[in-house]
Amino acid sequence: DQQVKQNSPSLSVQEGRISILNCDYTNSMFDYFLWYKKYPAEGPTFLISISSIKDKNEDGRFTVFLNKSAKHLSLHIVPSQPGDSAVYFCAATSGSSNTGKLIFGQGTTLQVKP
Amino acid sequence: DVKVTQSSRYLVKRTGEKVFLECVQDMDHENMFWYRQDPGLGLRLIYFSYDVKMKEKGDIPEGYSVSREKKERFSLILESASTNQTSMYLCAITGGRLGKNIQYFGAGTRLSVL
C-alpha cells in the first residue's frame, strides 16, 4: 500500500521556467511533509518542509504548497536551473511518531535543459 | 554540520557472502535508519533503531539484520547476499538537536552482488 505517491516518474523543463513536482498521500495522520533532492551516487539532501498547520512554505527559489483536503502537496522551483536536475523525493510523517520514521514517494527525475 | 559516514561508497560481493555495511554518526543522535533505493521504488525502509541495542523492522527487512552496540554506529548485515540485494543503500539519522522530523543521509553505498 503506497501511502505517498509521486505519479510522474520524470519531468523536463527549460532553464528559467517553473518546475512543478507533485505528491499525493493517503494517510490523514500525516502532518509533516518534506522534500529531498538526490544527485546520482550521493545521499538525499533535505530541501524544504511544511507542517500541516500551513499551506505554503517558501525558501528562496523553492516553495512547497500543501492542500490538506486533497491530500496533495507540490514543490515549485522558480526559476529552474540546470543544477536543479536531480531526483526529487517527497516524504511524510506523523508528529505522534517518536521515531522520526518517514514514508517516501517513488521519486521524480527532474531534467532542466539549458 | 551533521556528518553521517558510510564506510564504503562501492562494494562488489559474490552471492552467498556475508556483507557488512557500516554507518557512523558524529553526534549524539538517537534514531538511525537503513534504506535501499531502487529506480521507480523510491526509498524503502529496511530497519531502524531508536537507541542502543534497540531495533525495529521497516518495510522490507527480509534477508537483512542490523546491529547497534554503540550509539554512534548502526550496521546493516546481509547474512547471505543475493543478486536481488544489488542496490543503493542509504543510512540516515535524526533526533537530538536535529529534532525528529528531518532525516540526514550519508553518501550511500552502491552494492553489487554477482
Side-chain angles (χ1 to χ4, degrees):
Chain A
D1 178 28
Q2 190 79 27
Q3 297 185 70
V4 179
K5 293 183 183 179
Q6 293 175 257
N7 291 316
S8 298
S10 62
L11 175 67
S12 182
V13 300
Q14 208 66 36
E15 181 179 6
R17 305 295 287 268
I18 184 171
S19 295
I20 301 176
L21 295 96
N22 294 303
C23 181
D24 297 297
Y25 62 96
T26 57
N27 190 337
S28 52
M29 296 299 293
F30 291 149
D31 56 9
Y32 194 82
F33 304 88
L34 308 90
W35 285 94
Y36 284 82
K37 175 180 178 179
K38 187 182 181 301
Y39 292 119
E42 292 185 14
T45 54
F46 169 70
L47 197 55
I48 193 170
S49 62
I50 189 167
S51 165
S52 61
I53 62 173
K54 295 185 174 182
D55 53 18
K56 176 183 174 181
N57 189 26
E58 196 170 349
D59 184 3
R61 295 186 298 115
F62 302 91
T63 303
V64 56
F65 294 92
L66 177 62
N67 182 334
K68 290 185 288 294
S69 60
K71 294 192 176 67
H72 177 84
L73 65 154
S74 60
L75 174 69
H76 292 211
I77 307 173
V78 183
S80 302
Q81 298 173 354
D84 295 330
S85 298
V87 180
Y88 289 79
F89 294 99
C90 67
T93 188
S94 167
S96 61
S97 166
N98 292 322
T99 60
K101 185 178 171 183
L102 295 178
I103 307 299
F104 285 87
Q106 307 96 310
T108 297
T109 300
L110 173 65
Q111 183 185 29
V112 180
K113 297 180 179 177
Chain B
D1 263 8
V2 178
K3 194 170 183 181
V4 182
T5 303
Q6 293 186 230
S7 52
S8 305
R9 295 297 302 271
Y10 301 95
L11 272 180
V12 180
K13 297 291 181 181
R14 297 208 174 271
T15 302
E17 278 193 75
K18 190 168 187 175
V19 181
F20 292 87
L21 302 181
E22 303 286 335
C23 177
V24 178
Q25 55 155 315
D26 66 338
M27 300 292 284
D28 194 30
H29 302 298
E30 295 89 8
N31 303 326
M32 300 185 75
F33 304 81
W34 274 108
Y35 295 89
R36 62 178 282 177
Q37 186 215 344
D38 301 288
L41 297 177
L43 277 68
R44 293 182 293 167
L45 182 63
I46 304 171
Y47 267 97
F48 65 101
S49 169
Y50 50 89
D51 206 345
V52 175
K53 297 191 185 295
M54 305 302 286
K55 61 185 179 184
E56 283 200 26
K57 292 180 180 179
D59 300 316
I60 51 164
E62 296 78 18
Y64 303 94
S65 62
V66 290
S67 172
R68 194 168 181 196
E69 297 296 317
K70 293 184 178 180
K71 195 166 191 176
E72 67 269 20
R73 186 180 297 269
F74 191 34
S75 303
L76 180 69
I77 303 157
L78 286 67
E79 295 289 342
S80 177
S82 62
T83 54
N84 63 11
Q85 292 178 310
T86 292
S87 187
M88 170 71 115
Y89 289 88
L90 295 159
C91 174
I93 64 171
T94 188
R97 63 179 176 80
L98 299 177
K100 64 180 177 71
N101 286 324
I102 299 175
Q103 291 187 12
Y104 291 85
F105 286 82
T109 297
R110 172 70 65 182
L111 173 67
S112 296
V113 182
L114 306 178

